[in-house]
Amino acid sequence: MDRRELADFLRSRRERITPADVGLPTGPRGRTPGLRREEAAQLAFISTEYYTRLEQARGPHPSREVLAGLARALRLTDAERDHLHHLAGVPPGPPPGPSREVRQSILDLLHRLPQAAAIVVSAMHEVIAWNDLAAALMEDFSAVPRRDRNLVRRVFLGPHPEGRRLYGVSDADEFARRAAQDLRAAAARYPDDPELTQLVAELLAGSEEFTGLWDSHDVATAPTFRKTFQHPSVGPVTVNCDVLDLSDRDQRVVIYTATPGSPSEGALRLLSVIGTQRMDTTP
């Protein structure tokens, strides 16, 4: 265990994260860059004293559980997580939870599709990347807390503005069934991930529909390749839905395109101009 290198690495990762990145209030921060030590400790589910000793190169040998908590709290990439394990003298094992790190080439791809709405979702159905047209078609994901970007939570627990379930998409009920099955499979792959465990518990407590689907143990259903969004500003938008699996990250790229020459293609073009502003509200 290289205590000094571990301490410096933890400090550098903590100082690069803003409170907003992890859903914490900003408030007066003084001269402290990034998160405070007590905030990082809270997110990692360890005591502030323990975390402080690690950053002061005085800490005990951390367990795999502690390292997993630190990697999650500090939003480490897969490479950084492995580096953390090596510094602590603990060989890295399989990822403790679904990866949220999106390859730069995929991010570039999203923005090279100006006439298509595209998102990247994790194994938990959390939207972890999107382009401008997807934000206009669905919602401005940058304006909502990270927990509210989870499509499984959204379809079962809402909100459902104006009665529109999951952005008014036509296959919301079918998506709910597939999402429950996907989440059960993800829970088997990542049994030690606290965020996934908490999400399942929240859904079981808050949705009888989810509970019934969770308990059914049904096999996966066929995906929907064409769906219609009921958009509040431009009306119905019918799109083709294509999914690219990123098996190395356990992620999916979802691309929505309209048939050339159709009214929906015109609606998407309009959305690309107006963006996330609403046209059905008065100033």
Side-chain angles (χ1 to χ4, degrees), residues 188-201:
R189 294 197 300 276
Y190 307 105
D192 300 323
D193 181 54
E195 287 192 26
L196 181 51
T197 301
Q198 180 180 351
L199 174 62
V200 171

Side-chain angles (χ1 to χ4, degrees), residues 156-236:
F156 286 106
L157 302 181
H160 306 312
E162 303 174 4
R164 295 184 301 114
R165 190 182 193 191
L166 195 65
Y167 315 113
V169 72
S170 57
D171 69 331
D173 293 343
E174 291 82 358
F175 173 84
R177 285 194 290 271
R178 293 199 310 274
Q181 295 157 6
D182 286 347
L183 206 60
R184 179 174 278 284
R189 294 197 300 276
Y190 307 105
D192 300 323
D193 181 54
E195 287 192 26
L196 181 51
T197 301
Q198 180 180 351
L199 174 62
V200 171
E202 183 180 348
L203 291 167
L204 289 172
S207 171
E208 292 184 3
E209 179 188 8
F210 178 82
T211 300
L213 292 168
W214 183 261
D215 292 340
S216 69
H217 296 272
D218 285 343
V219 296
T221 55
T224 301
F225 296 106
R226 190 171 176 83
K227 62 183 68 181
T228 299
F229 287 86
Q230 293 295 334
H231 194 275
S233 296
V234 300

Side-chain angles (χ1 to χ4, degrees), residues 86 101 139 148 207 226 236:
H86 289 306
E101 180 187 3
E139 72 175 322
D148 293 338
S207 171
R226 190 171 176 83

Side-chain angles (χ1 to χ4, degrees), residues 136 162 164 230-237 267 270-271 274-281:
E162 303 174 4
R164 295 184 301 114
Q230 293 295 334
H231 194 275
S233 296
V234 300
V237 183
L270 178 58
L271 283 176
I274 66 175
T276 55
Q277 63 180 310
R278 292 285 297 271
M279 298 176 62
D280 57 345
T281 59

